[in-house]
């Protein structure tokens, strides 16, 4: 029970970060979290430690836990790693592609479009990130899916800090183009499109933006045990 509760807290906080409801630099007060989830501070402390291992939060002695604030260097390194991983992932996906896998990716892209049309910012943000994880899942590579999930979560913080509102507009169309190339069996073009997609996202980062802020209670208002 304790393990499942800790996992729920980890998942809830991760989701709040990925959906841009928890802002970089937000203080994660143990007692406030314990009261919100109706659990002991010990369970909250365990969840915060797990999140610190994933670099989503930073634990500071005598100060507590804070949502991480990735540096410019870290942002560039995260995108460099994603380019290395995802170029090969697309190539491998193409080599084992099936009609069912292509259909699953198309369904995901359709869900992205619906979230964009309804202006569901949280759902849109989550789906755009999950596109990359979904590809690894369809390959049956759980290790890659987990690694990408962690990187995508860190990217959510990076984009929240450094991405302008208009810079993410083309991500959905680029995902659709990647799927089209895969469906046509053009592996190298799909790889190129993925590389260009990540290049475009990184190029859209503005590293002199003011740090956004938010309130913990507001960010978790829709989450409860």
């Amino acid at each position: 029970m304790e393990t499942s509760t800790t996992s729920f807290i980890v998942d809830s906080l991760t989701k709040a970060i990925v959906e841009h409801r928890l802002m970089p630099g937000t203080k994660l007060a143990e007692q406030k979290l314990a009261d919100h989830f109706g659990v002991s501070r010990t369970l909250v402390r365990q969840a915060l430690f797990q999140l610190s291992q994933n670099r989503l939060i930073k634990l500071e002695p005598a100060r507590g836990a804070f949502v991480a604030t990735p540096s410019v260097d870290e942002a560039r390194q995260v995108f460099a790693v994603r380019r290395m991983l995802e170029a090969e992932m697309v190539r491998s996906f193409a080599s084992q592609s099936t009609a069912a896998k292509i259909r699953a990716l198309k369904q995901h892209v359709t869900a992205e479009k619906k979230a964009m049309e309804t202006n569901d910012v949280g759902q849109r943000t989550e789906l755009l990130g999950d596109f990359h994880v979904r590809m690894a899942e369809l390959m049956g590579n759980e290790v890659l899916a987990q690694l990408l999930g962690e990187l995508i979560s860190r990217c959510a913080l990076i984009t929240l800090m450094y991405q302008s509102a208009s810079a993410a507009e083309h991500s959905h169309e680029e995902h659709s183009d990647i799927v089209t190339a895969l469906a046509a069996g053009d592996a190298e073009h799909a790889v190129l499109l993925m590389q260009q997609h990540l290049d475009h996202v990184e190029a859209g980062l503005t590293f002199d933006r003011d740090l956004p802020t938010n309130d913990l209670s507001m960010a978790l208002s829709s989450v409860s045990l």
Side-chain angles (χ1 to χ4, degrees):
M1 179 64 182
E2 288 188 359
T3 301
S4 62
T5 301
T6 300
S7 296
F8 179 82
I9 297 171
V10 169
D11 291 344
S12 298
L13 293 176
T14 299
K15 186 176 177 67
I17 290 169
V18 169
E19 293 183 354
H20 293 175
R21 288 183 283 111
L22 265 182
M23 306 298 188
T26 302
K27 182 175 177 58
L28 302 174
E30 287 185 6
Q31 190 58 58
K32 182 176 284 190
L33 287 170
D35 292 343
H36 176 83
F37 289 107
V39 299
S40 68
R41 291 180 63 173
T42 298
L43 292 181
V44 169
R45 201 170 295 123
Q46 291 172 0
L48 294 176
F49 176 76
Q50 289 185 33
L51 287 164
S52 72
Q53 296 297 103
N54 294 338
R55 302 290 194 275
L56 290 182
I57 72 164
K58 184 177 182 181
L59 298 176
E60 299 185 9
R63 294 193 66 222
F66 297 82
V67 178
T69 53
S71 67
V72 172
D73 284 344
E74 181 180 348
R76 296 200 185 283
Q77 289 169 18
V78 166
F79 275 95
V81 172
R82 285 191 62 186
R83 272 190 290 270
M84 295 174 202
L85 284 176
E86 296 190 50
E88 187 57 36
M89 176 180 72
V90 171
R91 189 172 286 111
S92 297
F93 184 95
S95 71
Q96 56 180 265
S97 180
T98 64
K101 291 177 182 178
I102 294 296
R103 187 162 54 249
L105 280 184
K106 286 182 176 180
Q107 290 171 349
H108 188 96
V109 170
T110 298
E112 290 180 3
K113 183 178 181 181
K114 182 178 180 181
M116 295 182 73
E117 289 174 346
T118 58
N119 201 29
D120 188 335
V121 177
Q123 184 73 354
R124 178 189 68 199
T125 301
E126 184 175 14
L127 285 169
L128 287 174
D130 279 353
F131 172 81
H132 303 262
V133 179
R134 183 69 178 132
M135 193 176 294
E137 290 174 343
L138 289 169
M139 292 168 60
N141 192 324
E142 295 182 6
V143 174
L144 179 59
Q146 182 178 6
L147 285 172
L148 278 176
E150 293 172 1
L151 285 170
I152 296 300
S153 295
R154 293 174 74 173
C155 276
L157 279 172
I158 291 166
T159 57
L160 183 57
M161 287 181 64
Y162 300 120
Q163 192 175 61
S164 65
S166 61
E169 290 180 358
H170 302 299
S171 288
H172 164 68
E173 287 83 0
E174 291 173 346
H175 288 173
S176 182
D177 290 342
I178 291 168
V179 176
T180 299
L182 288 168
D186 193 341
E188 290 310 310
H189 186 50
V191 170
L192 177 62
L193 288 173
M194 179 62 84
Q195 291 172 329
Q196 291 177 339
H197 167 55
L198 294 174
D199 287 344
H200 292 162
V201 176
E202 184 175 8
L205 302 179
T206 304
F207 291 115
D208 58 356
R209 293 186 69 204
D210 292 333
L211 182 67
T213 58
N214 204 346
D215 178 74
L216 177 59
S217 297
M218 183 186 301
L220 295 176
S221 60
S222 63
V223 178
S224 61
L225 281 176

